[in-house]
Amino acid sequence: MAVRLPRPRRFDVHVALGGLLGGLLLWGVGLATRPHTEAYVLLPGRWPVLLPLVVMAGCELLRRSAPRTALLIGTPAIVLDTVTQGNLVTILMYTDLMYAAVLYGPPASAHRIPRITGLLSVAAAVVPFAVWREPEALLIGVITGLVSFGPAATGLIVRTHRDAAEAARLRAEQTALLAEMDRTQAVTAERARMARELHDMVANHLSAIAIHSTAALSLDDPKTSQEALVVIRENSVEGLAEMRRLIGILRDSSGDVEPSAAPTLDGLGALVNGARTNGLDVTLDAERSDVPAPVELAAYRIVQESLTNALKHAAPGRVTVSLARRDGALVVSVTSPYGDRDAPRAPGSGAGLVGMRERVALLDGTFEAAPEDSPEGKIWAVRATLPVHDTVEGDTA
């Protein structure tokens, strides 16, 4: 089965036609490279010159699509041209084939061809000089180097610069891709942070509003409805204040991660009083100690979310909140009665537990939330251990 050669490029077709027409022009005016009297001109006359010229022009069609094939065919053609009176255009086209074979060929050929042509150039200078002992014999090596080694070395230099430019372009693209990935991760992390803040700020107040409004609608008692409306109004006002604070954070262009009014452990008393107003029986046992701001904020949010969950889901009974320093860590524990609830429930999505777990994970702490058995009965226990030592501010939100 015949081997189909690849389709030549348009530029290569122009090079081949230009070389062929140029060679025919020199042939037509009778300009030969060597006189017929030279000893190594074995095929004198005008017509033998045309065969290597035509073959070399055909090889130029493959200079980029099949550079090694073109060089392998062109090398016998240049040897044939050597034993004729020669054509300058044939030699020039062969130098272009040598250049193209290095520039467009496989990487192995690109490094092998200059070495081979360099050795051939040295051999073409040394061997004739050793045989004939004539200084003019060195010119054979010089001509061989100009025809073969020079174009090959030039092609290797151009290819090296081209590969370096391509590698720089790829590195720039990879750097841009990594920067885009970092930006996407930063945006995702910021969205998660804001989602936690929004949930923790508003969920408590909205849960209280939902529960008390349900109670007011289900009980036909003016006094109970009045008390529920008071609680609803208080939670609405506080929720709006929290929302305004969060909007202020989003609009702040100063670059501060947390606003100056971020909640602290000193606000646990007010948080517990608010939970009592909403109907929870809460006991607070908190040891006062200085902890880093991220730990303080995480502990506050865990207590806040735990009280919100107790308001929505806990059975009637005492809710206990405790904070204590143990072995270089702040241990936060919130327990509430676990069981069937007769009072109105507020819907939950589970985002609160996810947010608490994320906050603790950002501080390399441990988090547990599950039902447990106790002497008072079954309880729901939330426990978080937040390392205090070697904590850098700003690691969490």
Side-chain angles (χ1 to χ4, degrees):
M1 183 177 180
V3 178
R4 295 184 60 184
L5 293 176
R7 186 175 181 178
R9 307 285 183 91
R10 178 177 297 181
F11 177 78
D12 299 342
V13 174
H14 294 164
V15 171
L17 289 177
L20 180 61
L21 294 177
L24 291 176
L25 178 62
L26 294 181
W27 176 80
V29 298
L31 292 179
T33 306
R34 294 171 292 277
H36 68 278
T37 57
E38 292 286 347
Y40 50 85
V41 176
L42 304 180
L43 300 173
R46 297 183 60 193
W47 296 102
V49 177
L50 292 179
L51 179 59
L53 175 65
V54 173
V55 172
M56 202 68 71
C59 291
E60 284 282 38
L61 295 174
L62 305 176
R63 60 188 299 273
R64 278 194 293 183
S65 56
R68 288 194 301 179
T69 302
L71 183 61
L72 290 175
I73 299 174
T75 300
I78 195 66
V79 173
L80 178 61
D81 181 77
T82 304
V83 299
T84 67
Q85 288 186 253
N87 191 308
L88 181 60
V89 176
T90 302
I91 299 174
L92 292 178
M93 285 193 291
Y94 182 75
T95 60
D96 180 67
L97 291 180
M98 185 68 69
Y99 171 83
V102 176
L103 183 60
Y104 303 117
S109 298
H111 292 84
R112 187 182 301 118
I113 292 175
R115 289 196 295 266
I116 295 174
T117 54
L119 293 175
L120 289 176
S121 300
V122 173
V126 173
V127 173
F129 179 76
V131 173
W132 295 326
R133 299 293 180 177
E134 294 290 340
E136 290 80 2
L138 296 175
L139 295 177
I140 299 176
V142 174
I143 296 173
T144 303
L146 290 176
V147 174
S148 60
F149 177 72
T154 304
L156 181 59
I157 293 172
V158 174
R159 181 174 184 138
T160 300
H161 285 286
R162 186 193 66 182
D163 292 344
E166 181 67 15
R169 185 187 66 82
L170 291 176
R171 285 196 298 270
E173 290 180 355
Q174 291 175 354
T175 301
L177 179 60
L178 291 175
E180 180 63 20
M181 292 174 62
D182 290 341
R183 187 194 69 82
T184 302
Q185 292 177 355
V187 170
T188 302
E190 184 66 11
R191 291 177 62 182
R193 185 181 78 90
M194 288 304 171
R196 289 194 300 269
E197 283 294 312
L198 180 62
H199 180 275
D200 293 342
M201 285 179 179
V202 181
N204 183 40
H205 301 298
L206 293 182
S207 298
I209 291 173
I211 291 173
H212 285 279
S213 60
T214 302
L217 291 173
S218 60
L219 298 177
D220 187 13
D221 185 356
K223 182 178 180 181
T224 302
S225 299
Q226 181 69 24
E227 293 175 352
L229 289 175
V230 171
V231 175
I232 290 173
R233 183 185 183 282
E234 291 177 353
N235 281 276
S236 300
V237 172
E238 292 177 4
L240 286 174
E242 293 285 355
M243 284 292 295
R244 292 191 186 99
R245 191 174 77 86
L246 180 59
I247 293 172
I249 297 174
L250 295 175
R251 289 180 174 174
D252 184 15
S253 60
S254 63
D256 295 334
V257 176
E258 293 296 338
S260 57
T264 65
L265 294 181
D266 293 334
L268 287 180
L271 184 64
V272 169
N273 289 334
R276 289 169 180 162
T277 302
N278 290 329
L280 289 179
D281 181 10
V282 185
T283 300
L284 175 64
D285 180 13
E287 298 179 5
R288 185 69 183 93
S289 61
D290 294 330
V291 295
V295 175
E296 192 169 23
L297 177 60
Y300 181 93
R301 293 302 190 196
I302 290 172
V303 172
Q304 182 184 43
E305 181 58 28
S306 298
L307 292 178
T308 301
N309 289 339
L311 178 64
K312 293 190 294 184
H313 306 297
R318 183 177 298 276
V319 178
T320 302
V321 178
S322 67
L323 285 83
R325 288 284 296 271
R326 297 175 188 170
D327 299 329
L330 179 65
V331 180
V332 181
S333 176
V334 181
T335 61
S336 57
Y338 182 77
D340 294 334
R341 174 190 176 100
D342 297 330
R345 287 179 177 267
S349 63
L353 292 176
V354 173
M356 288 190 286
R357 187 172 285 105
E358 288 178 350
R359 290 182 182 276
V360 175
L362 288 173
L363 294 173
D364 295 329
T366 59
F367 176 80
E368 296 179 356
E372 295 180 358
D373 292 326
S374 70
E376 292 79 14
K378 199 154 190 168
I379 61 172
W380 179 266
V382 175
R383 291 187 177 86
T385 302
L386 307 175
V388 175
H389 298 310
D390 301 328
T391 303
V392 180
E393 292 194 20
D395 286 345
T396 187

